[in-house]
Amino acid sequence: ELLMHNGFISIEFSANLAVIKTRPGYASSLAYDIDSKEFDEILGTIAGDDTIMCVVKTSEQAPGVVQKLGGILSRGK
């Protein structure tokens, strides 16, 4: 099942931390969807109103995480 979120804006990495930007009010539900998928590479998320911090186990796993999150972070217009 691919989850579509109209609220996704961008994702950027710094080592093993991803910062995901969303439209206001979307971060919490998007973080919930990421956590509920239980990806082995992702230790967890912390969400504010329009930003999510996503902790990845290793920085080497970052490219794979972006691919895995593709279905969740797709911009459904």
Side-chain angles (χ1 to χ4, degrees), residues 40-57:
D40 290 334
E41 300 88 346
I42 297 175
L43 295 175
T45 61
I46 300 172
D49 183 54
D50 63 357
T51 306
I52 301 166
M53 179 173 288
C54 179
V55 181
V56 179
K57 285 183 181 177

Side-chain angles (χ1 to χ4, degrees), residues 8-9 12 18-19 30 34 37 39 54-55 58 62 70 73 77:
F8 171 72
I9 295 174
E12 287 190 57
V19 176
L30 180 51
I34 292 169
K37 289 292 185 183
F39 294 121
C54 179
V55 181
T58 68
L73 302 179
K77 296 209 181 210

Side-chain angles (χ1 to χ4, degrees), residues 9-28:
I9 295 174
S10 66
I11 182 170
E12 287 190 57
F13 280 87
S14 176
N16 69 319
L17 299 177
V19 176
I20 302 170
K21 295 288 189 176
T22 71
R23 291 185 10 218
Y26 283 80
S28 183

